[in-house]
Amino acid sequence: MDTWRFATVADRRELAPLLRQFRVTVIPDGLGGYGHNAALLVVRGLFLGNLLPMTAVAGILYQEASARLCNSYRLDEQEFVGQLLVGLAGAAAAAWLGRLAWRTMRAARASLRGPAGA
């Protein structure tokens, strides 16, 4: 059985050489720390890649149904909720992809500049 162990160093200046030595890929979290590695983005992508389309599909079904699917809504409210679900799924997908693109471009620009203080 494989076991994952997490450790850190007391002096942050020793962190970069240690990560290079063990070939660990880390992602800055924007708060001065680091995320695990690309696995975090993959899991998040799989989750959002399933949740957002299914939310949009539920919204489309709510809009196109000729009968009430939920006793809590009138038919006109059900259509509005369907539109809202599709809109929210689209907006969340756009925001997530925009944030991903922004972080990628920011990291690329930082790597072009070289190490801080150089």
Side-chain angles (χ1 to χ4, degrees):
M1 178 193 285
D2 292 329
T3 304
W4 286 81
R5 295 177 187 247
F6 294 93
T8 189
V9 293
D11 186 0
R12 296 204 38 96
R13 291 177 295 209
E14 297 174 2
L15 184 59
L18 188 64
L19 293 174
R20 277 194 302 275
Q21 178 183 355
F22 288 102
R23 298 178 187 207
V24 174
T25 303
V26 295
I27 300 170
D29 64 5
L31 302 172
Y34 295 96
H36 175 257
N37 63 12
L40 176 65
L41 293 178
V42 170
V43 170
R44 187 179 299 158
L46 290 173
F47 177 73
L48 290 174
N50 187 33
L51 177 72
L52 297 177
M54 295 314 304
T55 302
V57 167
I60 291 169
L61 290 174
Y62 263 50
Q63 291 177 55
E64 294 180 354
S66 59
R68 287 178 27 198
L69 298 176
C70 180
N71 288 334
S72 298
Y73 302 125
R74 294 187 321 256
L75 201 52
D76 62 326
E77 292 174 327
Q78 177 175 299
E79 186 175 341
F80 172 74
V81 169
Q83 293 169 350
L84 187 64
L85 286 172
V86 171
L88 287 174
W96 179 63
L97 290 172
R99 183 171 184 237
L100 184 65
W102 178 77
R103 292 178 102 189
T104 303
M105 290 187 302
R106 189 176 73 173
R109 270 188 257 133
S111 70
L112 291 174
R113 280 189 232 134

